[in-house]
Amino acid sequence: MRWAVGALLAGVMAVVSGCSGSDGGKPGAVASPGGGLAQLPGQAFYVSDRTNAAHQVTALRGQGRTAEADELQRIAAQPSSQWLGEQGAREIAEQVSRQATEAGRTAVFVAYDIPHRDCGQYSAGGAPDAAAYRAWITGVAQALGDRRAWVVLEPDAVAHTLDDCGIKGDLAAERYGLLAFAVQELKKNPNARVYLDAGNPGWAQDPAELATALRKSGIAAADGFAVNVANFYDTDRNAAYGARLSAALGGKNFVIDTSRSGNGALGGASWCNPPGRALGERPTTETGRPGVDAYLWIKNPGESDGDCGRGEPRAGEFWLPYALGLARAAR
């Protein structure tokens, strides 16, 4: 089963120069340095005011569209991941991790620059070769320094070596080596947690085969793996899938992307901007599930999965009607 994850944030350099948002003065919120979004009490992860959702909230309020801004705030006020790709990754990683540290929170990143990324589909791209990737991931690791950070490593990269993508033989061996190198580089930071992507419950994989591929990719040195990145499966199904894979890996912990899982998956092959989906559980380390380190919003809610043949925005671009649909449908 092929599916695309959202590409980098549209206008990714906005993270360096974007405007600040507002939390609407929520009681008990902790002010963020530089006038950014407040950090809600009890939340471990960093809420950035530089996300597409935060920018849209500001724009909507400026247009007097208060009701829509309030609805979209359900997304903007929650911590979501900062995707890192070809453009400006080192500078973005340094600034966002520094801002998170100053706010007393932990930034969550997605490293997404593996060669032959996404099998040439909606999120195609990545580093031109192995040497370029090693230099890229080393730069990201150095930019994080010793600051606290969680990094989800290369969505799809392992699972695509086991499907019909064409990453086989020498290409697969190279990819496993690059992922293992990335884990090693990122874990030089004693305050970094690293999770290798491990697909989702609807992507047919043999757990033993996937576990073998993850071992080749450095899972032993990582903190665990991630499931459901940019997909829609409900948390119970993801937890069961992760538990089976964890057992095959000797008890490795995992994280679940709950960003759009509120109504579960639509079914069949409907992975690309399916209608009627909803925000899932808010990001937290208090999952109440053994072995599940956190629920995270790894995919940024409201960013398109790609032009799915219906004229949607390209992968990674913010799509306001879809974002509002997710927020309105949330329980």
Side-chain angles (χ1 to χ4, degrees):
M1 176 180 179
R2 291 182 178 180
W3 54 280
V5 296
L8 301 178
L9 297 173
V12 67
M13 291 308 292
V15 75
V16 176
S17 60
C19 60
S20 295
S22 169
D23 78 326
K26 292 181 180 291
V30 179
S32 182
L37 282 175
Q39 310 299 311
L40 300 181
Q43 176 56 261
F45 301 113
Y46 178 56
V47 181
S48 174
D49 64 342
R50 309 285 177 90
T51 64
N52 283 330
H55 288 312
Q56 284 290 319
V57 167
T58 300
L60 289 170
R61 294 202 190 285
Q63 297 164 16
R65 298 162 66 180
T66 304
E68 289 175 305
D70 289 344
E71 290 173 323
L72 191 58
Q73 187 72 5
R74 300 184 70 180
I75 295 175
Q78 294 300 319
S80 56
S81 302
Q82 175 64 58
W83 289 63
L84 303 171
E86 296 93 325
Q87 299 179 21
R90 183 167 184 157
E91 183 178 10
I92 295 166
E94 191 280 332
Q95 184 165 13
V96 172
S97 63
R98 188 177 299 281
Q99 290 171 336
T101 298
E102 291 171 353
R105 299 295 187 270
T106 299
V108 179
F109 296 95
V110 182
Y112 194 52
D113 198 39
I114 201 78
H116 316 292
R117 191 178 67 198
D118 199 36
C119 294
Q121 297 185 91
Y122 297 128
S123 297
D129 55 39
Y133 184 78
R134 291 190 191 96
W136 179 86
I137 199 69
T138 296
V140 168
Q142 291 173 346
L144 294 176
D146 63 355
R147 291 181 288 277
R148 292 196 309 273
W150 288 32
V151 183
V152 175
L153 188 57
E154 299 298 343
D156 295 357
V158 174
H160 268 321
T161 67
L162 304 177
D163 65 8
D164 60 354
C165 173
I167 306 296
K168 307 296 180 186
D170 290 345
L171 282 178
E174 177 186 80
R175 175 165 290 188
Y176 297 147
L178 290 176
L179 292 169
F181 176 83
V183 172
Q184 173 186 310
E185 288 296 286
L186 291 165
K187 288 300 292 180
K188 289 179 179 177
N189 174 357
N191 295 312
R193 298 182 67 87
V194 180
Y195 295 87
L196 277 161
D197 183 71
N200 64 72
W203 199 344
Q205 305 285 0
D206 181 309
E209 187 180 28
L210 181 55
T212 297
L214 286 165
R215 290 190 192 97
K216 293 177 182 178
S217 302
I219 190 73
D223 294 278
F225 58 91
V227 301
N228 202 49
V229 174
N231 222 293
F232 302 86
Y233 293 98
D234 65 75
T235 302
D236 286 344
R237 189 169 177 186
N238 279 305
Y241 169 76
R244 289 193 297 272
L245 184 55
S246 175
L249 289 167
K252 276 290 185 180
N253 286 14
F254 59 101
V255 297
I256 301 174
D257 185 352
T258 59
S259 58
R260 305 183 297 178
S261 62
N263 285 340
L266 185 59
S270 300
W271 55 262
C272 195
N273 298 323
R277 303 308 91 201
L279 300 174
E281 290 97 333
R282 294 177 179 180
T284 182
T285 56
E286 303 297 324
T287 67
R289 296 177 185 267
V292 180
D293 285 346
Y295 301 146
L296 300 175
W297 284 10
I298 300 173
K299 169 73 175 181
N300 288 285
E303 293 180 6
S304 176
D305 293 315
D307 181 351
C308 312
R310 302 181 294 265
E312 295 97 327
R314 66 184 179 88
E317 287 189 1
F318 194 78
W319 187 13
L320 180 59
Y322 199 80
L324 292 173
L326 292 170
R328 289 165 179 164
R331 296 180 178 87

